[in-house]
Structures are given as structure tokens and as C-alpha cells.
Amino acid sequence: MTTLLNTLGNEAPRYIPNDPRPTLLGLTRVELAEALARVGVPEKQRRMRAGQIWHWLYHRGVTEFSAMTNIARELRERLDETFIIGRPDIVTEQVSSDGTRKWLLRLAPDERGARQEVEMVYIPEEDRGTLCISSQVGCTLTCSFCHTGTQKLVRNLTAGEIVGQVMVARDGLKEWPQQIEAMANPPSGGRYLTNVVLMGMGEPLYNFDNVKAAMEIVSDGEGISLSKRRITLSTSGVVPEIARAGEEIGTMLAISLHGTTDEIRNRLVPLNKKYPIRELLDACRNYPGASNARRITFEYVMLKGVNDTPEDARRLVKLLAGIPAKINLIPFNPWPGTQYECSDWDTIERFAAIVNKAGYASPVRTPRGRDIMAACGQLKSESQKVRARERLAAGG
Ligand code: SAH
Ligand code: SF4
């Protein structure tokens, strides 16, 4: 059973059509201080004021300038005339029977006034809560088993839109520090959202600068303060950016491997034709910061009759020899029109046993939120369905 919590109808949209005011979300501290020049803050005060505003935005999670009570009313008014805080709007919020939540978000209008949508998923587990966020609208790559890959329309998300996803999730979970403090039974550790994975729509390494800026903000100790060890960037294998990602972004790394020979992987992840398995694994061996304490996750989607034999399993462990690795076996999540099927459960268990025997803890990722199409690789279809529903509701 699923519950639809919200629709745009009863949620006040945050964007006014043709609003020229830029958002403050996604700016670095230095950029924020510079922005304050526009509202007449004298140079000597800018750093201090930027620090205060940063605290309100990212530590307290306020959505209105009027809530920034240690800032003079006059300055708050000028801020409000000149900027918006600017999270994505929530179109729908669904809760699966297993507690997984999925939001369909509508982004601020782009230069042409178009409003793109992305989906975001929160997966609660006993000892953690993981938020899966997107880095692009659609994806320019065309992995044959991935629903997002069939979606043509692409633009990079801005840094503010990437951070904005985390902020909308914190709003929805009511876990800003002052909300947690007011709770009778607060979550241990003071937060529900303990981990972030860049595993929604898009290839994060094709939106490097914005992903980097956003992760800097999300991990900033005076704000959302999520450790980079609890953030995982998943890539389909953009080899030339991997070392840089380790040096400059510094999060945990996940690689969408899915095949153990170039022939199979070329079919599943066409980017493999450009950066074959060997080059990809060399980049992993050299990933700055990889160690036994900070292993690289290898994602492997189980596709019936394609990549799921015991030979595949043995080749997989051989390929990963010498890399501090974790293996994540993902049952394929089907979507309408796909040519693939998920491997049988026995086959997955046999595969997992071989991988385990080679010394890898290889949890099979239990599909979560399938009833709301929130599982890996299913993102996209719901937004189209919702659009269709909205069109119907609007009489066309
Ligand atoms: N573009 C990045 C991150 C987004 S995809 C990447 O490819 O790594 C996140 C993960 O979901 C990837 O491992 C991807 O291979 C996997 N995935 C995509 N479609 C899937 C499907 N239908 N079933 C299961 N996993 C899927
Ligand atoms: Fe893009 Fe990742 Fe999907 Fe491939 S698996 S099409 S890289 S989102």
C-alpha cells in the first residue's frame, strides 16, 4: 500500500513566474559574501554576515529571510527583495509500505522558463537512512538496462539544486537540529538522514563542478554537516575524472561495473567502449583515499542470462584482486519496455556465494520502494505518469 502525501495543489509553490531574484543556495561562502555587496552590506561586515546567513540556511534550514532574527529587519527586507532562498518545489511525496519515500521535485524555471523535474528517494534502514539524489535531468549516457538512460532531455543540475534536494528531504523528515531537539524520541545520532548517494538520475562526473560545490556545502561542519565518508558518488566509469574526483570531491566512490568482459560491458554500459574495464580498474587502483577502511563499492546489476553465471562471479573477483573493494549485487529492477529480466533468486544466491567465498561481504541490495517505482533505475517513469495525470486534471 502506498500513501500519497502531497501534491502541488496543497503545497504552496515557492517560485513566482518570471521572478528575477537569484537563489542563495549553492553559493560558496566567498560567493555568498560577494552577493551581500548587492544589498549594500559594507565590505568589512560581509564575511560575518555571510557566516550568519550560512548558519540560517544550512544549519537551521529556514525557508524565509524573515526568520533570520539576528539580522536587522531592514537588511532582511533587502535580502528578500533581491534574492530567494530557493529549494525545489515538491510535486508529490509518496511513502512506500516499507517506509521508503519518494519525492517528485520541480526545479526553478530555467532561462526559457521551463521547469524540469527530478526524483529523489529516501531509504530508511535500521542503522541508517540513505538519501538518493540526482545530479542531472536525464542522462547523456545510454546504459541499456537503465530507465534514466532512455530519457533524452538533459541538463546539469546547479549546485543549489543538488543541495536543495538534501534540504527538501530534511524538511520532509523534520530533522533540522531545532526540530530534533523538540522531539520526545529523537533518532540516535540526531538525524534520520545519515547517508547520501549520488545514484539518482544522471552521471555525476559529467557535472563535476556543481557536484563538487554541492558536496562541499553538504559536508560543511557549520551546516548540514554530513561527513564525506557518508556520501557516495556513483559513476558509470568516466575514467579521466576519477582521480580528480578523489582529490577534489573526496567522497566515497562507487563504480557501476555490471559486466566482467568488455564484450558484455560494452552492451550494458556503452561508455565502456571509450574507457574499457582495464582502464577503469586501473583508475580505481589509483583512487586517492581508497584503503581497506575506505573501500570502493562495485555495483553489479543481476540480469538474467546476461551477466549472472558462476564464471561471471569468478571473473569478477579476479578482476577486483588488489583493489580495496565492496561488491553490491543489485537485483535488476524492471521498467516498462525493457528487454531485460532480473536473475532468478537461486542464481543470485549462487553468484553471491562465490563472491563471499572470495572474501567480499556482498550484500544483495534488497529492492526497496518498488511499489512506488523508487528502486534503482526506475526513476523517470513516475514523473511522466504524474505529468499525464496533471494534463488530465487540467482538462487536456
Ligand atoms: N550514473 C551513475 C549514477 C546513477 S545510476 C551510474 O551509472 O553509476 C545508479 C545505479 O543504479 C547504477 O549502479 C546503475 O547501474 C543502477 N541501475 C540503473 N538502472 C537499474 C535497474 N533498472 N535496476 C537496478 N539497478 C539499476
Ligand atoms: Fe546514466 Fe547511470 Fe543510467 Fe547509465 S546507469 S544511463 S550512467 S544514470
Side-chain angles (χ1 to χ4, degrees):
M1 199 189 56
T2 66
T3 322
L4 194 63
L5 287 186
N6 259 310
T7 59
L8 198 55
N10 55 24
E11 169 88 9
R14 295 191 178 96
Y15 292 96
I16 305 163
N18 305 320
D19 189 344
R21 296 173 299 170
T23 174
L24 287 186
L25 294 189
L27 303 184
T28 62
R29 283 166 182 280
V30 173
E31 287 165 346
L32 187 57
E34 283 163 9
L36 294 182
R38 286 185 52 186
V39 288
V41 175
E43 199 178 344
K44 272 196 260 150
Q45 287 182 21
R46 276 179 216 152
R47 256 188 68 186
M48 184 266 293
R49 291 278 177 230
Q52 285 176 324
I53 294 172
W54 186 278
H55 182 86
W56 286 111
L57 293 178
Y58 299 118
H59 185 79
R60 311 275 298 210
V62 301
T63 53
E64 307 279 350
F65 290 108
S66 58
M68 300 183 172
T69 46
N70 60 355
I71 291 174
R73 176 194 294 263
E74 201 229 342
L75 177 54
R76 279 187 264 155
E77 283 169 4
R78 265 182 291 143
L79 284 167
D80 194 39
E81 282 158 19
T82 318
F83 303 108
I84 53 170
I85 292 183
R87 292 154 162 68
D89 279 323
I90 296 172
V91 182
T92 55
E93 177 174 2
Q94 288 173 279
V95 184
S96 156
S97 47
D98 67 13
T100 302
R101 282 168 183 249
K102 184 171 81 167
W103 292 269
L104 174 62
L105 304 177
R106 189 168 293 160
L107 305 172
D110 56 28
E111 320 81 71
R112 289 199 226 109
R115 299 198 58 184
Q116 305 298 342
E117 291 171 355
V118 290
E119 288 174 319
M120 168 174 91
V121 181
Y122 170 75
I123 305 152
E125 286 171 285
E126 225 147 77
D127 59 337
R128 65 174 71 189
T130 304
L131 184 71
C132 176
I133 60 173
S134 297
S135 55
Q136 298 181 307
V137 179
C139 186
T140 52
L141 298 172
T142 52
C143 302
S144 54
F145 57 91
C146 174
H147 205 191
T148 307
T150 65
Q151 187 174 353
K152 285 233 174 59
L153 188 68
V154 175
R155 79 163 167 86
N156 283 334
L157 297 191
T158 63
E161 288 165 343
I162 299 170
V163 179
Q165 292 173 70
V166 179
M167 298 176 81
V168 169
R170 291 203 103 187
D171 295 341
L173 297 167
K174 300 190 171 49
E175 67 149 25
W176 293 101
Q178 66 279 13
Q179 295 173 311
I180 295 281
E181 276 161 28
M183 273 178 199
N185 288 309
S188 66
R191 49 172 95 221
Y192 295 105
L193 199 176
T194 60
N195 293 64
V196 166
V197 293
L198 281 150
M199 293 189 187
M201 289 195 230
E203 169 49 58
L205 294 186
Y206 280 161
N207 187 13
F208 194 100
D209 293 342
N210 291 337
V211 166
K212 176 181 163 181
M215 294 308 108
E216 237 16 88
I217 294 173
V218 170
S219 60
D220 187 288
E222 285 169 49
I224 300 166
S225 198
L226 210 59
S227 152
K228 284 188 180 170
R229 303 194 53 156
R230 290 182 168 272
I231 303 174
T232 301
L233 182 155
S234 174
T235 177
S236 56
V238 185
V239 168
E241 302 290 359
I242 288 179
R244 230 182 112 212
E247 282 152 18
E248 297 183 25
I249 306 179
T251 59
M252 305 296 280
L253 180 68
I255 300 286
S256 293
L257 191 62
H258 310 314
T260 56
T261 66
D262 283 325
E263 194 221 324
I264 300 173
R265 194 164 188 270
N266 283 348
R267 263 198 287 150
L268 300 177
V269 185
L271 188 66
N272 193 70
K273 293 181 201 151
K274 207 162 169 193
Y275 309 118
I277 292 176
R278 193 160 45 133
E279 285 178 29
L280 176 58
L281 295 182
D282 278 346
C284 292
R285 270 189 202 94
N286 299 322
Y287 184 68
S291 67
N292 278 334
R294 301 188 68 164
R295 292 167 193 268
I296 297 173
T297 301
F298 288 86
E299 295 158 283
Y300 196 94
V301 61
M302 298 297 297
L303 300 167
K304 189 178 200 160
V306 177
N307 64 356
D308 60 354
T309 64
E311 292 77 66
D312 286 301
R314 284 190 283 271
R315 262 198 306 266
L316 176 61
V317 295
K318 230 174 166 174
L319 280 176
L320 300 187
I323 303 176
K326 278 191 284 200
I327 297 172
N328 213 335
L329 300 178
I330 313 171
F332 170 65
N333 290 307
W335 37 272
T338 179
Q339 52 172 314
Y340 297 109
E341 282 176 72
C342 182
S343 307
D344 298 326
W345 202 249
D346 288 355
T347 311
I348 297 181
E349 285 195 333
R350 206 175 325 134
F351 197 102
I354 295 170
V355 166
N356 280 327
K357 214 166 150 206
Y360 295 96
S362 61
V364 179
R365 199 191 284 167
T366 335
R368 298 287 302 263
R370 270 190 179 174
D371 55 346
I372 54 172
M373 284 291 278
C376 297
Q378 289 185 315
L379 301 187
K380 161 190 172 174
S381 53
E382 185 63 20
S383 55
Q384 294 198 335
K385 264 190 253 151
V386 168
R387 267 199 294 277
R389 268 206 301 275
E390 280 176 353
R391 271 198 299 277
L392 282 177

